[in-house]
């Protein structure tokens, strides 16, 4: 994990992590919709990282830590956004796919 965090080939992940927290989660305090959009954009960027480095430890740890948080964020989203994010999250993190399906409930 430490190697992944420090390795320059994961610099895009570090930017995504910053955007997720600073532009997404911090903004949700003032404006939920804008914050959720930033979180969505961050998750979409993870798709490129996952394509380049499938099964990277850093991605596994990210989703292990954030899966419940992501479910809470998208449970209050618009129906179309819910479906889009359920599909993307399940693709990126199949281990928690069953958990993500609860977003629609």
């Amino acid at each position: 994990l430490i190697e992944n965090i420090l390795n320059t080939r994961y610099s895009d992940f570090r930017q995504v992590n910053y955007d997720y927290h600073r532009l997404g989660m911090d903004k949700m305090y003032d404006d939920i919709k804008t914050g959720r959009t930033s979180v969505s954009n961050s998750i979409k960027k993870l798709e490129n990282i996952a394509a380049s480095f499938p099964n990277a430890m850093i991605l596994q740890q990210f989703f292990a830590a954030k899966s419940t948080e992501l479910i809470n964020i998208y449970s209050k989203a618009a129906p179309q956004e819910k479906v889009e994010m359920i599909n993307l999250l399940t693709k990126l993190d199949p281990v928690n796919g069953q958990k993500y399906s609860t977003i629609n409930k």
Side-chain angles (χ1 to χ4, degrees):
L1 179 60
I2 298 300
E3 188 278 328
N4 281 191
I5 291 170
L6 298 176
N7 193 319
T8 57
R9 70 182 183 167
Y10 294 109
S11 61
D12 290 342
F13 176 81
R14 289 192 292 276
Q15 184 63 49
V16 166
N17 199 34
Y18 173 83
D19 292 348
Y20 176 91
H21 289 96
R22 181 67 183 104
L23 304 177
M25 298 303 293
D26 288 352
K27 295 286 182 186
M28 286 185 81
Y29 181 79
D30 295 323
D31 184 359
I32 292 173
K33 187 175 181 179
T34 301
R36 187 170 41 236
T37 299
S38 294
V39 168
S40 296
N41 291 337
S42 297
I43 299 300
K44 289 174 186 173
K45 290 177 187 175
L46 287 178
E47 190 171 21
N48 296 333
I49 297 167
S52 298
F53 309 106
N55 300 319
M57 174 64 76
I58 201 162
L59 292 175
Q60 293 172 18
Q61 288 300 115
F62 177 83
F63 287 113
K66 301 294 181 185
S67 61
T68 302
E69 183 174 88
L70 290 165
I71 291 167
N72 291 331
I73 290 169
Y74 292 109
S75 291
K76 298 174 181 89
Q80 182 179 353
E81 186 178 11
K82 284 181 181 183
V83 171
E84 178 185 2
M85 293 311 295
I86 289 169
N87 292 336
L88 180 58
L89 291 168
T90 302
K91 177 182 174 185
L92 294 174
D93 183 26
V95 171
N96 290 310
Q98 282 295 93
K99 286 174 65 174
Y100 296 129
S101 66
T102 64
I103 291 172
N104 258 340
K105 293 182 182 179

